């Protein structure tokens, strides 16, 4: 067993504009936007327009309806968006004109993602945040930082929060908050971050679930008090069930309070990501779709039909029943109380 160390919370790339990231200066922007050799080839030999050939060179072939839909004027946060499905989703949203808030825990990866997304989508309104969501302290600081930036630079509104950050650990990792790390990142951190931003969210909260979710929660083993299980599968499955449960509970509370935001859980599709490789090995990884072929999260952000309902779980863009355990109100309340105790989160809905 190893203990995760928390790096000091820090903001990124700010000397003007939003403190977590600013549009690159004109000279740097021109350099970043210079076409790559492959872009030139695609233009000369295939006649692809600039947006499409940049998307192709970065691996964003699956554009969905990006060419026709517009998210201009919307501010969207995607946690865990420096690689995999999160990065691809951020790119698709930026292509449609949204102001995209990118998040990761490694400064170098956040910086690289900002350069790539600004250059390859032609959208300078991509900003970065660097916080480790295995730490409740950093997650809390992240929420405070976001609140300041949203109020000062984005009219005090976050149109959509995509809680995408997640981990799969083959071995037990305990955080500085004495939480099993899978639980900390996949369940507790998004619960706390959502509570921090709730009054600023105007449209929807998208929580990234999984078809690998468990059927029940083992209340006496949520933090691996008894055992961690086979290479982390039990911890991961329980974390995704718990995410669904608090999402359904939050949806009901927001509806009752007449809050404008809806809440949905989305299985993003089986993509060749680090989590898939860690949990299911090379065989699953080799037959999965590339992250650049998966666009269900982008669909969940923009589809107007999802704004007409709340508390749903979607797989392949269709509603699916979650585990029966997740709909039990007593189970939901027990989990909610536990998460409030673990995180100190406050949901002010009066």
């Amino acid at each position: 067993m190893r203990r995760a160390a928390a790096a000091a919370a820090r903001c990124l790339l700010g000397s003007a504009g939003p403190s977590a990231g600013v549009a690159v200066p004109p000279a740097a922007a021109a350099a970043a936007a210079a076409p790559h050799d492959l872009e030139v080839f695609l233009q000369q030999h295939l006649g692809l327009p600039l947006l499409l050939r940049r998307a192709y060179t970065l691996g964003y072939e699956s554009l969905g309806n990006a060419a026709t839909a517009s998210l201009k004027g919307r501010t969207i946060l995607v946690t865990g968006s420096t690689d995999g499905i999160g990065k691809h989703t951020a790119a698709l949203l930026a292509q449609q004109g949204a102001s995209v808030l990118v998040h990761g825990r490694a400064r170098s990866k956040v910086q690289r993602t900002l350069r790539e997304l600004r250059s390859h989508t032609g959208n300078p309104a991509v900003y970065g945040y660097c916080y480790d969501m295995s730490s409740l302290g950093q997650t809390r600081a992240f929420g405070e930082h976001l609140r300041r930036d949203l109020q000062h630079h984005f009219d005090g509104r976050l149109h959509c929060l995509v809680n995408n950050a997640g981990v799969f650990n083959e071995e037990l990792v305990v955080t500085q908050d004495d939480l099993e790390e899978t639980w900390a990142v996949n369940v507790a951190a998004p619960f706390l971050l959502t509570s921090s931003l709730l009054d600023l969210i105007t449209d929807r909260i998208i929580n990234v679930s999984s078809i690998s979710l468990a059927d029940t929660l083992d209340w006496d083993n949520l933090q691996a008090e008894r055992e961690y299980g086979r290479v982390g599968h039990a911890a991961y499955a329980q974390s995704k069930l718990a995410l669904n449960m608090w999402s359904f509970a939050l949806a009901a509370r927001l509806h009752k309070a007449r809050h404008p935001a809806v809440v949905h859980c989305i299985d993003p599709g089986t993509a060749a990501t680090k989590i898939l490789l860690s949990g299911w090995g090379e065989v699953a990884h080799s037959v999965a779709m590339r992250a650049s072929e998966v666009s269900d999260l982008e669909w969940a952000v923009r589809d107007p039909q999802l704004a007409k309902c709340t508390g749903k779980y979607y797989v392949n863009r269709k509603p699916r029943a979650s585990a029966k355990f997740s709909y039990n109100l007593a189970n939901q309340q027990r989990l909610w109380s536990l998460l409030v105790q673990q995180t100190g989160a406050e949901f002010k809905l009066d």
Side-chain angles (χ1 to χ4, degrees):
M1 178 178 72
R2 60 186 173 90
R3 181 172 294 272
R10 60 196 184 278
C11 63
L12 266 192
L13 308 176
S15 58
S19 57
V22 298
V24 290
H36 299 293
D37 291 342
L38 180 56
E39 289 179 16
V40 174
F41 174 84
L42 292 171
Q43 178 187 29
Q44 294 176 345
H45 296 277
L46 299 182
L48 292 179
L50 178 64
L51 178 63
L52 292 183
R53 61 180 196 271
R54 283 182 173 171
Y56 189 93
T57 58
L58 196 57
Y60 302 145
E61 304 97 308
S62 179
L63 296 177
N65 292 330
T68 57
S70 175
L71 293 172
K72 190 174 179 61
R74 291 183 172 269
T75 303
I76 302 166
L77 167 63
V78 184
T79 66
S81 45
T82 58
D83 55 29
I85 293 173
K87 182 177 181 180
H88 178 57
T89 299
L92 292 177
L93 299 174
Q95 285 169 349
Q96 296 174 77
S99 294
V100 180
L101 311 183
V102 169
H103 158 265
R105 61 181 178 179
R107 181 183 178 89
S108 61
K109 292 181 71 174
V110 173
Q111 291 174 319
R112 183 175 68 247
T113 299
L114 294 184
R115 290 194 301 268
E116 290 179 352
L117 265 59
R118 288 169 177 167
S119 172
H120 289 267
T121 68
N123 183 353
V126 182
Y127 307 98
Y129 296 80
C130 186
Y131 288 91
D132 184 350
M133 294 185 72
S134 70
S135 162
L136 293 178
Q138 286 206 34
T139 301
R140 192 172 293 108
F142 182 24
E144 293 170 355
H145 190 168
L146 284 164
R147 289 188 64 85
R148 291 193 301 270
D149 282 357
L150 289 167
Q151 291 167 344
H152 293 153
H153 304 290
F154 299 99
D155 299 323
R157 293 181 296 173
L158 179 64
H159 295 90
C160 181
L161 165 61
V162 182
N163 283 311
N164 171 71
V167 298
F168 183 109
N169 292 328
E170 295 184 49
E171 298 179 355
L172 175 62
V173 180
V174 179
T175 72
Q176 63 177 9
D177 303 296
D178 290 324
L179 296 175
E180 187 275 313
E181 190 180 57
T182 311
W183 182 271
V185 177
N186 297 6
V187 186
F191 184 80
L192 177 58
L193 183 64
T194 301
S195 74
S196 300
L197 303 173
L198 190 60
D199 61 314
L200 305 181
I201 301 173
T202 62
D203 187 14
R204 62 191 74 183
I205 299 163
I206 303 299
N207 288 336
V208 179
S209 186
S210 172
I211 57 172
S212 300
L213 58 82
D215 292 327
T216 63
L217 291 182
D218 184 349
W219 297 106
D220 297 323
N221 197 46
L222 293 180
Q223 304 307 316
E225 295 93 338
R226 195 169 60 248
E227 62 177 352
Y228 188 61
R230 185 175 65 87
V231 294
H233 282 260
Y236 183 79
Q238 285 204 128
S239 76
K240 291 306 181 180
L241 175 63
L243 183 72
N244 278 20
M245 290 172 66
W246 75 249
S247 300
F248 299 156
L250 178 60
R253 290 169 185 243
L254 296 183
H255 180 72
K256 182 178 180 180
R258 298 181 180 275
H259 191 285
V262 299
V263 186
H264 295 298
C265 299
I266 310 293
D267 171 76
T270 304
T273 62
K274 291 188 299 183
I275 285 181
L276 186 72
L277 179 62
S278 297
W280 287 269
E282 290 286 355
V283 174
H285 197 264
S286 65
V287 299
M289 295 183 291
R290 289 180 294 171
S292 59
E293 297 172 329
V294 177
S295 59
D296 284 8
L297 292 186
E298 177 260 346
W299 163 80
V301 169
R302 64 170 172 76
D303 193 293
Q305 295 303 314
L306 269 67
K308 300 177 181 180
C309 57
T310 192
K312 300 291 186 181
Y313 170 47
Y314 290 89
V315 178
N316 295 325
R317 304 191 181 189
K318 296 180 180 179
R320 175 179 289 194
S322 180
K324 291 183 179 180
F325 187 92
S326 64
Y327 295 112
N328 182 283
L329 297 182
N331 291 337
Q332 290 181 9
Q333 183 56 51
R334 182 175 180 179
L335 175 64
W336 189 280
S337 298
L338 176 63
L339 288 171
V340 168
Q341 179 183 359
Q342 289 176 342
T343 66
E346 295 183 38
F347 289 80
K348 299 176 181 179
L349 294 172
D350 296 334

